[in-house]
Amino acid sequence: MKEFGYQRALDVSGALALLDADPDARFLGGGTNLVDLMKTGVERPGRLVDVRELPLDRIEPTEDGGLRIGATVTNSDLAAHPDVRRRYPALTQAVLAGASGQLRNMATVGGNLLQRTRCGYFADVTKPCNKRDPGSGCPAIEGEHHNHAILGASDHCVATHPSDLGVALTAFGAVVTYETADGPGELPLTDFYLPVGDTPHLETALPPGALITGVVLPPAPVAANSRYRKVRERASYAFAIGSIAAALDVRDGVVHEVRLAFGAVASRPWRAHAAEAALTGGPADAEAFAAAADAELAAARPLPHNGYKVTLMRNLVVAVLSELAEEAAR
Ligand SMILES: Cc1cc2nc3c(=O)[nH]c(=O)nc-3n(C[C@H](O)[C@H](O)[C@H](O)COP(=O)(O)OP(=O)(O)OC[C@H]3O[C@@H](n4cnc5c(N)ncnc54)[C@H](O)[C@@H]3O)c2cc1C
Ligand code: SF4
C-alpha cells in the first residue's frame, strides 16, 4: 500500500483548502470503500483529508417541509432517524438492506453516494478496465457480467452503481449540495451521475475538489407509503442484483402519484420515468404495473449472462406496487 498523509479537517473551508493544496489528496468519510481500494492499489492518494469532524452530521427539517441530511451523517443514524422512518420509510429500508451494522456505523452519506462499482475487473489492478485505466478495454463485456448493467450502459463500460441508499434518494427527488473554493452548488441526484458514454472514468458532475455537504429531500407526502425491496444472492451482507424503491398514492383505484427507481441495473440509480408516466392517472392493478415495467424495460440491452435482470425487475415492479396499492386501500 502506498504511503499517505492524514489530516483531519474541522471546518468546511479548511477541508477545501487542504484538498486544494495537494492535487494528490482525497476526502475521507468512513473509509469503508476508499481504504479498501487503497489496499488493493485501485486508489493511490498521497493524502487523506478526514471530513468526519465537520459540522455536517445533522438531519434537519427544511423550510418547505423536506429534510436536509448532512454529508457526514452515518448510514446507521440516517436509517434510525424518526422523520426518515416515518416520512420516507423506503430510505430507512434501503440503508438497512446495505452492508452490515458495523459498516453502517462508519459509512457516511457522502461516501455512500461516491462509492465505486463492485465490478471484479475494476477491483483487480492486473486486469484492463476502462473505468480504472481509460482506453484499456472492458473485459466484462465478453467475460463475467452476470451482475452488470442492463440499462444505460455503453460499449466502454457495463458496470453498475452499488448504492442502495442512492436508489431511494433518487425515487424521492433528492438534491446533492456541495461546496467548492468558488462557492456552493447543488445537483439533483438524477443529474449527479454522468452518462457512461466513452468516459466511464468520469462518474459524477461534481466539480473537481468539491466537498459534498449534504442531501436535501424535498417534501414528498407520497413517500409515506413507500418500500425498498432488494434481491441479492444471499440473505444478508451482499450487494443487490436488482432492487427497487417505490412509493404509491392511489385514490379511488387510480394512481394519483408514483415514484420508482431501480438499483443494480445501471451505472447510476435509475429513475424509472417511463414507468411513472405510464402509471400516473391509470388503474392501480397488476396488469397496469406490468405494462409500466415493460415500458421502462423496453430500453434494456442485456448481455448474454444478465438477461435475468429484465424479468427480475419486471417482477419486482409488479410485486412491490401491488403491495403498496393494497396498503393504500386499507
Ligand atoms: C463488505 C461490504 C459490503 C457492503 N454492502 C453494501 C450494500 O449492500 N449496499 C450499499 O449501498 N453499500 C454497501 N457497501 C458500501 C458501503 O456502503 C460504502 O463503502 C460506504 O457507504 C462508503 O461510505 P464511506 O463514508 O465509508 O466512504 P469512503 O470510503 O470514506 O469514501 C468513498 C468515496 O467518497 C469520497 N468522499 C467521502 N465523503 C465525501 C464528501 N463529503 N465529499 C466529497 N467526497 C467524499 C471519498 O474521497 C471516496 O472517493 C458495502 C461495503 C462493504 C465493505
Ligand atoms: S464494466 Fe466498467 S468497471 Fe467493469 S471492467 Fe468494464 S470498464 Fe471496468
Side-chain angles (χ1 to χ4, degrees), residues 308-330:
Y308 73 92
K309 287 196 180 196
V310 178
T311 316
L312 174 68
M313 294 313 300
R314 187 179 195 270
N315 290 343
L316 275 178
V317 171
V318 175
V320 172
L321 288 179
S322 299
E323 289 166 19
L324 289 172
E326 229 172 80
E327 271 157 39
R330 271 190 207 137

Side-chain angles (χ1 to χ4, degrees), residues 202-258:
L202 302 177
E203 294 181 350
T204 75
L206 276 179
L211 172 77
I212 296 180
T213 50
V215 172
V216 176
L217 273 173
V222 66
N225 186 36
S226 68
R227 186 160 292 189
Y228 187 74
R229 177 75 48 82
K230 171 173 176 177
V231 178
R232 42 194 155 177
E233 285 173 341
R234 55 172 193 257
S236 74
Y237 203 33
F239 288 91
I241 54 171
S243 71
I244 179 175
L248 186 66
D249 180 358
V250 179
R251 300 186 188 175
D252 299 326
V254 171
V255 175
H256 178 70
E257 191 176 356
V258 59

Side-chain angles (χ1 to χ4, degrees), residues 117 119-123 128-132 137-141 148 156-160 196 200:
T117 183
C119 173
Y121 301 103
F122 173 77
C129 166
N130 284 329
K131 190 182 275 300
R132 180 171 30 75
C138 174
I141 291 173
H148 283 61
H156 300 270
C157 179
V158 291
T160 56
V196 186

Side-chain angles (χ1 to χ4, degrees), residues 19 25-37 43 45 48-52 54 56 70-75 94-100 103-104 106-116 118 161-167 177-179 192 206 209-214 228 230 232 234 236-240:
L19 209 80
R26 300 285 300 277
F27 291 128
L28 175 73
T32 60
N33 188 226
L34 179 56
V35 175
D36 274 2
L37 292 173
E43 300 264 20
L48 295 181
V49 176
D50 192 336
V51 300
R52 280 173 301 176
L54 297 181
L56 301 172
T72 63
V73 169
T74 65
N75 287 192
V95 175
L96 293 180
S100 65
L103 284 160
R104 293 193 294 270
M106 290 297 289
T108 62
V109 168
N112 188 295
L113 295 177
L114 289 179
Q115 64 175 295
R116 311 295 302 278
R118 293 281 157 171
H161 196 277
S163 172
D164 290 298
L165 158 65
V167 181
T177 59
Y178 62 83
E179 282 284 344
F192 180 77
L206 276 179
L211 172 77
I212 296 180
T213 50
Y228 187 74
K230 171 173 176 177
R232 42 194 155 177
R234 55 172 193 257
S236 74
Y237 203 33
F239 288 91

